[in-house]
Amino acid sequence: MAKKTRMEEKVRKELEDWAINFLEVPNEKNGSLSVCPYAGNAFRKGKARVIEKKPSETLSEAVKQFDPKKDDVLIIFNTNYELSASSLHHEVDSWNEWNYETGLYLMAFHPDEEGEAVEMFGTYDFLNEAELDYTMVFVQKIEPLDDAAIFLEEKGYYDDWSFGQYKDLVLKRRAIREKLNKIKKERYL
C-alpha cells in the first residue's frame, strides 16, 4: 500500500470531520434528518479511503483502486482539475452508464457547483469554501448503496426532497442497478 501524501491526509481529515460532524447530524434543511446517516460510520469503521488522482491517471484507472473487500467508499479527489462541474458530472454519468456491470456507482462533486443539492449537503456550510479546491468522485458498490436508499425511502426520508433531487440522487442510481440486475438474471437463465 502506497504511503499517504500530506494532501491525502489533509483531505481525509476534512472529509471525515464533514461526515461525522455535519452529514450525520440532524439538519433543518433536510427536514431535521441527517443528510447522510451512513457517512461517518464508513470513516469510523476504517472503510472510507481517500486517494488523490494522479494527473496522468484516467477516471477509470483511479476507480480500479476501489477494493470491494475493504472499502465501503473510495473518495478520489483531484486538485489539478480542468473539467467544469457539468463536464465532471457528464464524465461520471457516462462512466456509470457504460460500466454498470462492475457493480460500482460513482457520484461527483465539483467546487464550482451550485444548486439545491450543494445547499442541502452543506458542502460550503461546513467545509471552508475558499479552501475547497478539489473535485471529488465517490465510488461505492451500487447494491448496498441502493439498499440503504430503499430502507431510508421506506422510512419517509426522501418525502421532503424536491423531485429533481430525488431523481438525480436516487432514481438515476436505481435505474442503473435495475440494468445490472437484468444482466445478472439473463446470465443465470
Side-chain angles (χ1 to χ4, degrees):
M1 177 182 260
K3 187 176 188 230
K4 296 284 180 205
T5 65
R6 279 192 179 140
M7 188 63 173
E8 284 174 328
E9 287 299 325
K10 174 188 174 290
V11 171
R12 186 190 191 294
K13 286 178 184 164
E14 286 176 0
L15 296 179
E16 181 174 11
D17 192 34
W18 178 46
I20 292 170
N21 297 309
F22 185 84
L23 294 177
E24 270 193 341
V25 193
N27 182 322
E28 65 185 47
K29 292 178 183 174
N30 195 35
S32 295
L33 299 170
S34 61
V35 176
C36 186
Y38 306 108
N41 203 35
F43 280 97
R44 280 191 287 279
K45 292 186 325 185
K47 294 199 162 267
R49 199 156 47 99
V50 178
I51 63 168
E52 184 169 14
K53 182 181 170 295
K54 296 170 187 67
S56 61
E57 199 171 38
T58 66
L59 178 61
S60 289
E61 290 168 336
V63 169
K64 287 179 183 175
Q65 295 181 57
F66 180 85
D67 183 342
K69 293 182 175 135
K70 295 180 182 176
D71 301 328
D72 282 350
V73 61
L74 174 67
I75 304 166
I76 304 165
F77 73 93
N78 184 4
T79 56
N80 298 313
Y81 57 91
E82 295 178 5
L83 293 175
S84 67
S86 63
S87 295
L88 176 63
H89 282 280
H90 178 74
E91 181 177 8
V92 164
D93 288 345
S94 294
W95 193 97
N96 285 331
E97 281 293 322
W98 289 102
N99 296 283
Y100 66 91
E101 289 186 55
T102 64
L104 300 177
Y105 188 77
L106 279 53
M107 293 177 283
F109 169 79
H110 193 288
D112 296 338
E113 284 186 63
E114 296 177 353
E116 59 184 337
V118 171
E119 185 178 324
M120 182 184 74
F121 281 99
T123 311
Y124 298 131
D125 293 342
F126 191 79
L127 298 173
N128 183 340
E129 186 172 357
E131 293 179 13
L132 190 59
D133 57 351
Y134 47 86
T135 61
M136 293 181 280
V137 174
F138 299 82
V139 183
Q140 294 176 276
K141 292 179 270 189
I142 196 167
E143 289 176 339
L145 181 62
D146 194 48
D147 286 347
I150 290 167
F151 174 79
L152 292 173
E153 192 170 18
E154 290 169 354
K155 303 288 182 199
Y157 180 84
Y158 302 110
D159 290 354
D160 292 332
W161 284 32
S162 73
F163 181 72
Q165 286 174 312
Y166 182 70
K167 179 180 163 215
D168 288 344
L169 295 173
V170 178
L171 295 181
K172 190 187 316 183
R173 177 181 60 237
R174 182 105 8 101
I176 289 173
R177 183 183 185 180
E178 288 169 2
K179 279 175 50 174
L180 175 63
N181 289 341
K182 182 179 178 188
I183 292 292
K184 284 180 175 181
K185 186 176 179 181
E186 288 171 356
R187 285 187 181 151
Y188 295 110
L189 287 179

